[in-house]
Amino acid sequence: MRYILSFIVAVAVIALAFHYAKPLPGTNFDESFLPKASSVRYVAAGHDASVAGLFWIKGLTELGESYLTGKEYAYLGHVAELSTSLDSLFYTPYYFVGGVTPVDAPDTSDFSVLRRATRVYPENWRLSLYYALRLARGPFPNKTEAANVMRKYFDSPDTTIPDHIRTIYRSFELDSMQTETALETILNDVMQPRFKKFRASFYAKILKLLGYKGLIADYDKDENYQKVKYLVDGMVEGRIPPVVVYNRLLAMKKVEEPAVDSTAADTTKVSAADSTASTSP
């Protein structure tokens, strides 16, 4: 009886929070309201974990609806921040946000979530890798901090840590983070049952990892998107061996064009001008 009463109180609290909270700017979802964790905690009457779960369920529901409507849901990181602020031991938001967020996503609301994950679960190298990848490939690349996040696993006594994870901090230090490692991580996540209904988010994540940065106007007509979808679905459904999927996806990687050196370009222009002047009558 006490548990039922507590649950009713938690539901009432979250209903009041949604009713009085200020809506997020620019959202296409009528119910995307996120109050501050401190405000919710004040009225949660000690049931922070229950309220955190209710917010997280709402966030996943809206994410799922976004796939059906074709609209982008940009607030998963914010929902995870609220949920984990209320209950820092709530593991699912950490894993989920790290799994579905593109490595180069311009919205950095997931940073605080993943930073908290590395503090609460310091032994979990996968959560740390999510954070390191975002630091290294996000809108404000910081390879040094990414290396520091992964350095602690080099001499960890945990025998289950793969060798390439133990030394991956060096790749960040040398600015040579391999696409292969990031792709392997994503494909492992795709196979997790908890992501079954959100597989579409991994198609876009893989495309961005492989260098396809632009927005996709029509997913049904985009050749690269459909190819990734075919390969990933084939792997999950057992029709295509994972090693074949891995190699075919790597073969799709776009070759990065070298950055233009403005100094060298100016020097070339000056040299050309001097040459022209010297040959002029």
Side-chain angles (χ1 to χ4, degrees), residues 75-255:
Y75 298 107
L76 188 64
H78 297 277
V79 175
E81 169 65 22
L82 175 58
S83 296
T84 57
S85 294
L86 289 169
D87 181 9
S88 62
L89 296 178
F90 194 0
Y91 177 80
T92 301
Y94 299 133
Y95 190 87
F96 204 96
V97 169
V100 304
T101 303
V103 292
D104 63 345
D107 178 21
T108 58
S109 61
D110 60 307
F111 274 47
S112 60
V113 178
L114 296 176
R115 188 180 301 115
R116 182 179 294 114
T118 62
R119 294 197 305 266
V120 177
Y121 295 101
E123 76 289 349
N124 191 310
W125 63 263
R126 185 173 293 276
L127 294 179
S128 295
L129 181 59
Y130 288 146
Y131 185 36
L133 287 171
R134 287 289 281 133
L135 286 169
R137 297 201 173 200
F140 310 103
N142 189 334
K143 309 297 174 54
T144 300
E145 187 174 355
N148 291 336
V149 169
M150 298 305 297
R151 193 187 308 276
K152 60 187 176 184
Y153 300 106
F154 175 70
D155 55 359
S156 171
D158 185 355
T159 58
T160 65
I161 299 177
D163 290 338
H164 70 280
I165 295 299
R166 290 183 180 277
T167 58
I168 200 171
Y169 75 92
R170 295 175 181 168
S171 297
F172 289 113
E173 285 182 330
L174 299 173
D175 194 11
S176 62
M177 182 59 210
Q178 298 298 312
T179 302
E180 290 82 354
T181 301
L183 180 59
E184 177 188 351
T185 300
I186 295 174
L187 292 181
N188 284 333
D189 289 337
V190 170
M191 299 297 289
Q192 298 297 321
R194 71 185 71 189
F195 292 128
K196 182 178 180 180
K197 295 183 179 180
F198 305 95
R199 196 183 304 169
S201 62
F202 291 100
Y203 306 148
K205 184 172 183 177
I206 290 173
L207 277 174
K208 290 187 177 183
L209 175 65
L210 297 177
Y212 299 86
K213 306 295 184 181
L215 295 175
I216 300 175
D218 190 337
Y219 290 100
D220 294 331
K221 296 181 179 180
D222 188 90
E223 181 180 353
N224 292 316
Y225 182 89
Q226 290 301 318
K227 186 174 182 179
V228 170
K229 182 178 184 301
Y230 169 77
L231 290 171
V232 172
D233 288 351
M235 181 187 71
V236 175
E237 296 165 8
R239 294 183 284 104
I240 307 176
V243 65
V244 174
V245 173
Y246 176 78
N247 289 327
R248 289 185 181 178
L249 289 174
L250 277 182
M252 292 176 60
K253 181 181 178 182
K254 295 182 69 174
V255 178

Side-chain angles (χ1 to χ4, degrees), residues 34-104:
L34 294 176
K36 293 182 179 180
S38 57
S39 301
V40 176
R41 184 178 290 110
Y42 179 75
V43 292
H47 303 289
D48 294 357
S50 298
V51 176
L54 290 172
F55 270 105
W56 181 244
I57 290 172
K58 179 175 176 56
L60 289 187
T61 300
E62 292 191 346
L63 177 63
E65 290 177 354
S66 71
Y67 295 135
L68 298 176
T69 59
K71 298 178 181 179
E72 182 179 0
Y73 182 62
Y75 298 107
L76 188 64
H78 297 277
V79 175
E81 169 65 22
L82 175 58
S83 296
T84 57
S85 294
L86 289 169
D87 181 9
S88 62
L89 296 178
F90 194 0
Y91 177 80
T92 301
Y94 299 133
Y95 190 87
F96 204 96
V97 169
V100 304
T101 303
V103 292
D104 63 345

